[in-house]
Amino acid sequence: MPQAVVFATEHSQVAALARFCHEQRISLVARGTGTGTTGATVPIEGGVLLSLERMNRILEIDPDNRLAKVEPGVTNQILQTALAEKGFFWPPDPTSALICTIGGNLAYNSAGPRAVKYGTPRENTLGLRAVLGNGQTIHTGVNTTKGVVGYDLTRLLIGSEGTLGLITEATLKLTPLPETKRTLQANYKDIHAAAHAVSAIMAQPVTPCALEFMDGAALAMVRDFSDLELDPAVGALLMIEVDGPAHSIEKETAAISEAASNPGLLEIHTAETTEAVISLWKTRKALSPALRNVAPKKINEDVVVPVSRIPDLIGGLERLSADTGITIINFGHAGNGNIHVNLLLDPDDPDQMSLGEMCLSRLFDLTLSLGGTLSGEHGIGLVKQPYIDREIDPVTLELMRCIKRQFDPRNILNPGKVFPSTA
Amino acid sequence: MPQAVVFATEHSQVAALARFCHEQRISLVARGTGTGTTGATVPIEGGVLLSLERMNRILEIDPDNRLAKVEPGVTNQILQTALAEKGFFWPPDPTSALICTIGGNLAYNSAGPRAVKYGTPRENTLGLRAVLGNGQTIHTGVNTTKGVVGYDLTRLLIGSEGTLGLITEATLKLTPLPETKRTLQANYKDIHAAAHAVSAIMAQPVTPCALEFMDGAALAMVRDFSDLELDPAVGALLMIEVDGPAHSIEKETAAISEAASNPGLLEIHTAETTEAVISLWKTRKALSPALRNVAPKKINEDVVVPVSRIPDLIGGLERLSADTGITIINFGHAGNGNIHVNLLLDPDDPDQMSLGEMCLSRLFDLTLSLGGTLSGEHGIGLVKQPYIDREIDPVTLELMRCIKRQFDPRNILNPGKVFPSTA
């Protein structure tokens, strides 16, 4: 629990608050709507929690220059709705889009399915205004898609989880809405066939706007906890979306279907109506309720591996599951190699929980051995701190700490996050 | 002139050299092939010049994972040729692609025409290995298109002009080669009609892979110094390229043509053969020789403004030219608002040179008043230092200096660049 919660409504209040906290050496944790999954906004040292929910104005939408200026507390969904009226969208689309804030999306570089084609916040943000740990204000980036004057502090702030600065305004790069979209579901006999298809899809010029997968364990879960009819032979599944102009969507869909076809493909369905799209997504949408049903406290990691290594990751996780008896369910953004690994644990069982920690440790080692990274979009926060030095070497990590001190000399901004505490 | 030139061939040599220079407090300037235009690689304090020309290996091309690992000294063209054999390209394409190095492209965030569709190095680089100013080695980024573990040092190094670290290896994000391309030339009665077309093109979903323009003064130059036939009514010109799958290129070209059409459009030509493409580019390609002919020492700036403000920029420059009698020629990457402003000056005429400085100063003020930035792809280097504080506020600039000290505590890496010297 924090000692105080401040609901700021404008930049000057955020600056005054940071100045005060700096002077008084009080910790200051920024928070949007609290949808993060790594505990990054938990005020572990007490202090002040700065809620940015009321700084939720869309300041400007400028279609001619493909940009929007927003305050950090606007939700992703409200922004997308406003942009759609002008024919544009902002690519990042976390599953929590309905309630998560742009400020939070920037804090974690949160993406979602569309990142495979359109990138993450780092590729879709032009500039920021932010308050430093001493209350001073900085302006980063530009209003344009090119700019190389001074250092790129925009991307440095994005993904820094509130440890470097408090973002009070963002200039976002907009993308024109595609004219139309097609949804495909491709069923494979096993994960190797599905993973091979992912590589083949990503090696040809038509990039899908979503390339999601579910492994055999995820499908088993859906079979057990829903009334979906799914052929028992299906061992892995891809959900693919293709967007583009109406005149070429059929051809692009055909190109994707062709790349998705290999000897392990059992069947491929294409939806052409809204009803058919909903029907195709049913299997995927049934997963989260089924998971909650079985394991309300599951551990959900979001490791990333190069797409060609997905089969190795899944194979390793199958062995890990067999070794420990822990059910591991995998799904996620296959086009980016960003796999959501779910360990189904009973939090009331201390043996399971300690097995779970061992599993996590082996998951992270496996990911890194495959050339991957510990987090694609959830960040480090509190829960992944013990593992960050497995990925980042000591010299680079120390440099990051030194950079943090320049932004926040008294370490008041979200202290105890990202970096493991030093002995 | 430097006091010594070191031709490194591997990372460990670069690290040893930086360690030595750190210990001895000798300045160390990294250099590719010297194609930069802002003096950023001129060793103004003498010291050691580190040539990276011999660290020119392509270490890995991995089509399955859409990435390549390269040393900094490989030229852009050699890399593109190797990638094309696998069906891929790396989007940044400076005009000097034939001879400029990837290390240099990263140092300045150099882009080129394709950036309008595919982005700059910051959107197309996954990770880096670099040597700090004390000889220590850091590893930044990931092998994947998502990753949010620790701070984004990759983008911080990109565009830092050799002042933060010496890049010894880069992991580049690849894009599949489009199947085909169409080239269009659209002639307008004036710059306002052309600029209106640029905004209209950028506001619809088909993004061209090049959207270049020439203003009236540039066309006049070409008329006078080549035998090109160009209707005297043409006051501005757009060169547009559209790429994509063969099955949709006609429709996409038609969409672009439609967006390019407004009352000020005089004629639009589409090239369908290689000969026709060469013919269409003739006007544009005639410009550089013509410029060199008239003004061998022209000042070439690369300011950027939001695309809707291009007419205001050009209008302001016309007034500036009228006020000073200095010929100003404008062309460049209109789709990004990145305009190459050329002041034609006689370097042997001190009056002209001092007028030129006044012109530059007014150009930069005008650019910033339009919401623009001083440099899109050339960087600050030596020549734009006096102006950087017009764009970047004192707090942000001081923060950048503090960051520099963390990477390079003794200020040996390219000293005297980017930041104006403090009094």
Side-chain angles (χ1 to χ4, degrees):
Chain A
M1 287 293 285
Q3 291 161 287
V5 178
V6 173
F7 292 92
T9 55
E10 55 190 74
H11 171 83
S12 62
Q13 295 170 343
V14 176
L17 177 65
R19 210 155 44 235
F20 174 79
C21 289
H22 174 75
E23 281 161 9
Q24 305 295 325
R25 297 177 187 268
I26 297 169
S27 72
L28 177 54
V29 179
R31 181 187 158 105
T33 46
T35 58
T37 62
T38 60
T41 58
V42 177
I44 51 173
E45 295 189 3
V48 175
L49 192 137
L50 168 63
S51 169
L52 292 157
E53 288 168 276
R54 296 185 191 168
M55 279 186 76
N56 62 355
R57 288 176 302 172
I58 297 173
L59 302 168
E60 183 186 352
I61 298 176
D62 179 352
D64 279 350
N65 296 306
R66 290 190 177 188
L67 65 84
K69 295 191 187 235
V70 301
E71 290 183 335
V74 64
T75 66
N76 188 296
Q77 183 64 62
I78 284 174
L79 175 65
Q80 304 292 3
T81 303
L83 296 177
E85 287 171 19
K86 314 269 185 188
F88 287 85
F89 70 109
W90 190 56
D93 60 337
T95 309
S96 54
L98 187 65
I99 51 167
C100 68
T101 64
I102 301 299
N105 299 168
L106 296 172
Y108 302 106
N109 198 34
S110 312
R114 284 196 297 234
V116 65
K117 180 167 181 176
Y118 296 105
T120 71
R122 284 191 180 128
E123 286 82 34
N124 291 286
T125 305
L126 301 175
L128 299 170
R129 182 180 60 185
V131 173
L132 303 180
N134 62 6
Q136 288 186 305
T137 296
I138 60 168
H139 302 85
T140 78
V142 287
N143 294 312
T144 53
T145 48
K146 276 185 176 174
V148 59
V149 174
Y151 300 149
D152 186 349
L153 304 185
T154 306
R155 272 68 171 240
L156 191 61
L157 282 168
I158 296 174
S160 68
E161 304 186 20
T163 64
L164 294 182
L166 307 164
I167 295 170
T168 58
E169 187 181 311
T171 304
L172 307 176
K173 180 185 165 192
L174 307 182
T175 302
L177 277 170
E179 206 176 354
T180 188
K181 192 159 77 173
R182 284 284 180 280
T183 303
L184 294 88
Q185 188 194 84
N187 298 340
Y188 296 87
K189 70 176 163 59
D190 57 32
I191 184 66
H192 300 280
H196 179 74
V198 171
S199 279
I201 291 167
M202 293 304 291
Q204 53 83 52
V206 180
T207 301
C209 66
L211 180 47
E212 304 286 300
F213 99 115
M214 292 171 69
D215 76 351
L219 292 173
M221 177 76 38
V222 172
R223 278 194 192 92
D224 289 353
F225 291 88
S226 78
D227 53 0
L228 277 176
E229 285 181 29
L230 195 64
D231 190 319
V234 178
L237 173 153
L238 295 181
M239 291 297 305
I240 311 167
E241 291 196 330
V242 190
D243 65 8
H247 62 77
S248 67
I249 196 78
E250 298 307 336
K251 288 277 176 62
E252 307 225 338
T253 306
I256 293 278
S257 296
E258 195 188 321
S261 299
N262 62 38
L265 177 70
L266 299 175
E267 51 191 347
I268 191 161
H269 304 287
T270 308
E272 303 203 0
T273 65
T274 310
E275 293 70 36
V277 170
I278 292 169
S279 166
L280 285 192
W281 277 105
K282 249 187 198 159
T283 312
R284 173 65 186 80
K285 304 261 180 194
L287 185 58
S288 289
L291 277 172
R292 268 195 297 275
N293 197 14
V294 178
K297 299 271 179 180
K298 68 188 165 78
I299 294 179
N300 173 11
E301 290 303 332
D302 72 316
V303 298
V304 191
V305 293
V307 290
S308 72
R309 311 309 297 271
I310 293 174
D312 301 316
L313 177 70
I314 302 296
L317 289 171
E318 283 168 356
R319 284 191 296 279
L320 186 57
S321 179
D323 289 355
T324 58
I326 289 177
T327 304
I328 304 178
I329 306 276
N330 304 299
F331 61 94
H333 317 305
N336 295 107
N338 188 190
I339 308 303
H340 290 270
V341 177
N342 290 265
L343 309 179
L344 305 194
L345 300 168
D346 177 357
D348 297 328
D349 180 342
D351 289 351
Q352 271 227 337
M353 289 310 281
S354 88
L355 257 183
E357 277 189 31
M358 189 271 283
C359 270
L360 266 193
S361 175
R362 281 181 55 185
L363 162 64
F364 292 144
D365 283 344
L366 174 62
T367 299
L368 294 173
S369 76
L370 297 173
T373 179
L374 302 184
S375 177
E377 51 191 14
H378 294 173
I380 297 299
L382 209 50
V383 299
K384 266 188 272 200
Q385 271 179 41
Y387 307 101
I388 190 172
D389 61 1
R390 295 193 196 177
E391 176 164 339
I392 302 183
D393 65 79
V395 172
T396 308
L397 202 57
E398 179 55 27
L399 178 61
M400 290 179 184
R401 285 182 195 274
C402 290
I403 291 170
K404 154 84 170 163
R405 279 196 286 274
Q406 311 315 307
F407 280 80
D408 178 27
R410 290 184 177 171
N411 192 28
I412 63 158
L413 295 180
N414 211 2
K417 306 295 169 55
V418 180
F419 303 105
S421 49
T422 42
Chain B
M1 286 292 286
Q3 291 161 289
V5 179
V6 173
F7 292 91
T9 55
E10 55 189 74
H11 171 83
S12 62
Q13 295 170 343
V14 176
L17 177 65
R19 210 156 44 237
F20 173 79
C21 289
H22 174 74
E23 282 161 8
Q24 303 297 324
R25 296 177 188 267
I26 297 169
S27 72
L28 178 53
V29 179
R31 180 187 158 104
T33 46
T35 59
T37 63
T38 59
T41 58
V42 177
I44 49 172
E45 296 189 2
V48 175
L49 191 138
L50 168 63
S51 170
L52 293 157
E53 288 167 276
R54 295 185 191 167
M55 280 187 75
N56 60 356
R57 288 175 302 173
I58 297 172
L59 302 167
E60 184 185 353
I61 297 176
D62 180 352
D64 279 351
N65 296 307
R66 291 191 176 186
L67 66 84
K69 295 191 189 237
V70 301
E71 290 182 335
V74 64
T75 65
N76 188 296
Q77 183 63 63
I78 285 174
L79 176 64
Q80 303 292 3
T81 303
L83 296 176
E85 286 172 19
K86 313 271 186 188
F88 287 85
F89 69 109
W90 189 56
D93 60 339
T95 309
S96 54
L98 186 65
I99 51 166
C100 67
T101 65
I102 300 300
N105 299 167
L106 297 171
Y108 302 105
N109 198 35
S110 313
R114 284 197 298 235
V116 64
K117 180 166 180 177
Y118 296 104
T120 71
R122 283 189 180 129
E123 287 82 33
N124 290 285
T125 306
L126 301 174
L128 299 170
R129 181 180 61 186
V131 173
L132 303 180
N134 62 6
Q136 288 187 307
T137 296
I138 61 169
H139 302 85
T140 78
V142 287
N143 294 311
T144 53
T145 47
K146 275 185 177 175
V148 59
V149 174
Y151 301 148
D152 185 349
L153 304 186
T154 305
R155 270 69 171 240
L156 191 59
L157 282 169
I158 296 175
S160 68
E161 305 188 18
T163 63
L164 293 182
L166 306 164
I167 296 170
T168 59
E169 188 180 310
T171 304
L172 306 176
K173 180 184 167 196
L174 307 182
T175 302
L177 277 171
E179 207 175 352
T180 188
K181 192 159 78 174
R182 283 285 181 282
T183 303
L184 294 87
Q185 188 193 85
N187 298 339
Y188 295 87
K189 70 174 163 57
D190 57 32
I191 185 64
H192 300 279
H196 179 74
V198 170
S199 279
I201 291 168
M202 294 305 292
Q204 52 81 53
V206 180
T207 302
C209 66
L211 181 46
E212 303 285 301
F213 100 115
M214 291 169 70
D215 76 350
L219 292 174
M221 177 75 38
V222 172
R223 279 194 192 94
D224 289 352
F225 292 88
S226 78
D227 54 0
L228 278 175
E229 285 180 29
L230 195 66
D231 190 319
V234 179
L237 173 155
L238 295 181
M239 290 297 305
I240 312 168
E241 291 196 330
V242 190
D243 65 7
H247 62 77
S248 66
I249 196 78
E250 299 306 336
K251 288 276 176 62
E252 307 224 339
T253 306
I256 293 278
S257 297
E258 195 187 322
S261 299
N262 62 38
L265 176 69
L266 299 175
E267 52 192 345
I268 191 161
H269 303 288
T270 308
E272 303 205 359
T273 63
T274 310
E275 292 71 36
V277 169
I278 293 170
S279 166
L280 285 192
W281 275 104
K282 251 188 199 159
T283 312
R284 173 65 186 79
K285 302 260 181 195
L287 185 58
S288 289
L291 278 173
R292 268 196 297 274
N293 198 16
V294 178
K297 297 271 179 181
K298 69 189 164 77
I299 294 179
N300 173 10
E301 290 303 330
D302 72 315
V303 298
V304 191
V305 294
V307 289
S308 72
R309 310 310 295 274
I310 293 175
D312 300 316
L313 177 69
I314 303 296
L317 289 172
E318 283 167 355
R319 282 191 296 280
L320 187 54
S321 179
D323 289 354
T324 59
I326 290 177
T327 304
I328 304 178
I329 306 278
N330 303 299
F331 61 95
H333 316 306
N336 295 109
N338 189 189
I339 309 302
H340 290 270
V341 177
N342 291 263
L343 309 180
L344 305 195
L345 300 170
D346 177 357
D348 297 327
D349 179 342
D351 288 351
Q352 273 227 337
M353 291 310 281
S354 89
L355 257 182
E357 276 190 31
M358 188 271 281
C359 270
L360 266 192
S361 175
R362 282 181 55 186
L363 163 65
F364 292 146
D365 283 343
L366 173 63
T367 299
L368 295 172
S369 76
L370 297 172
T373 179
L374 303 186
S375 177
E377 52 191 14
H378 294 173
I380 297 299
L382 207 50
V383 298
K384 264 188 272 201
Q385 271 178 41
Y387 307 102
I388 192 172
D389 62 1
R390 295 195 196 175
E391 176 164 340
I392 302 182
D393 66 79
V395 171
T396 309
L397 202 56
E398 180 55 26
L399 179 62
M400 290 180 184
R401 285 182 196 273
C402 291
I403 291 171
K404 153 83 171 165
R405 280 196 284 275
Q406 311 314 307
F407 281 78
D408 178 27
R410 291 185 177 171
N411 192 30
I412 64 157
L413 295 180
N414 211 3
K417 305 294 170 56
V418 180
F419 302 106
S421 50
T422 40

